[in-house]
Amino acid sequence: MSITHIKTNKKIEVLLRLLASNENLADASSKSGLNIEKTKIILNNNKNN
């Protein structure tokens, strides 16, 4: 299954796991299938809640 066929919430789980493993934001975003702008929005929304 391609990363493009995975729901956004699963992509976010992958992103968070990569960030917890000290992956930098740009690489973690790319590996999780999210673009960097969307990743920043998600992280900012989570920080504000």
Side-chain angles (χ1 to χ4, degrees):
M1 182 183 301
S2 172
I3 191 76
T4 58
H5 293 101
I6 298 175
K7 293 183 180 185
T8 302
N9 60 345
K10 291 297 180 184
K11 291 180 182 182
I12 293 169
E13 288 178 21
V14 172
L15 172 73
L16 294 175
R17 191 169 42 242
L18 289 167
L19 292 174
S21 299
N22 295 324
E23 190 81 34
N24 71 50
L25 184 60
D27 289 342
S29 297
S30 176
K31 290 178 182 179
S32 65
L34 298 167
N35 66 33
I36 191 71
E37 291 82 18
K38 188 170 186 175
T39 301
K40 288 178 181 179
I41 291 168
I42 292 167
L43 292 175
N44 283 334
N45 285 342
N46 191 34
K47 186 189 297 186
N48 293 334
N49 290 331

